[in-house]
Amino acid sequence: MSELSPADLAKDASARAAVALVQDGMRLGLGTGSTAVFMVERLAERVRAEGLRLRLAATSRATADHAGRLGLKVEELDEIGWLDLTIDGADEIDPDLNLIKGGGGALLREKITAAASDRMVVIADPGKVVETLGAFHLPVEVIGFGLETTRIHIQRLLDAQGLSHRPMLLRQRDDKVFCTDEGHVILDLSLENIHDPARLAAGLAAIPGVVEHGLFLGMAELALIGSPDGSVIELRREVSE
Ligand code: 5RP
């Protein structure tokens, strides 16, 4: 009998489907989060069973540590240079496969890694699929210096774009300010509905002090949505010629 919860069964189903796409010789980016944990475990199983020769880069220290414990060799992204495929989770997925990511605080390395990959495949449970992005908080990674002025810039941007928002929260973990793998902090933006993600992404990227934001637009080409019964739905992004 399975000890996994329905949500974990769904995550595992999506992870298995993604790992089935991996071929011998590939250079892979390993995502971060609870769904990515399943993916790394399934990948380690295939490597052990089939002797796959892979080159692996991790999107966070947590993932690198987890992969290492499972006997997978993880290299720095720069040692590999370019990746064939990155498999990562998401906090929200819209019909165009635009994403909110960064719930686990790894958005910067995740975006750099996905952008250095020929393909990005998203793994998730059905709860992540939305019509419009924005119910989940939007993480924005910022430099500690001038944090309050960066916050004011962001607030003005949201007001100028007519986005209703609640006070943005400086992310905490274990009663301390959360610090990313790159030594920055995260402001979580509570927006109800991001009606123009591209405009918001451009505005955030233009603010000094903002290092990166959790909008991943036009990056994922396939989302594998698992269900507790083990089935998987494929969502594909229409790519215009
Ligand atoms: C981490 C992320 C994760 O991929 C995202 O938060 C989804 O995590 P989970 O699979 O645990 O729901 O972006 O920064």
Side-chain angles (χ1 to χ4, degrees), residues 32-35 88-91 101-107 110 128:
T32 296
S34 58
T35 319
D88 203 349
D91 300 303
K101 284 186 52 55
L107 64 126
E110 289 174 334
K128 305 294 182 58

Side-chain angles (χ1 to χ4, degrees), residues 129-190:
V129 180
V130 298
E131 268 308 306
T132 309
L133 299 177
F136 192 86
H137 57 256
L138 176 64
V140 180
E141 183 157 343
V142 302
I143 304 260
F145 177 82
L147 174 61
E148 288 313 313
T149 57
T150 302
R151 201 197 289 259
I152 293 168
H153 278 300
I154 295 174
Q155 198 146 336
R156 287 182 181 166
L157 173 77
L158 300 180
D159 291 339
Q161 295 200 2
L163 284 159
S164 66
H165 58 91
R166 292 192 287 281
M168 56 197 89
L169 298 176
L170 182 61
R171 190 176 296 187
Q172 314 275 321
R173 190 178 279 176
D174 300 329
D175 292 331
K176 291 197 203 96
V177 174
F178 174 77
C179 181
T180 69
D181 281 350
E182 297 302 325
H184 306 129
V185 297
I186 290 185
L187 289 172
D188 283 312
L189 277 48
S190 290

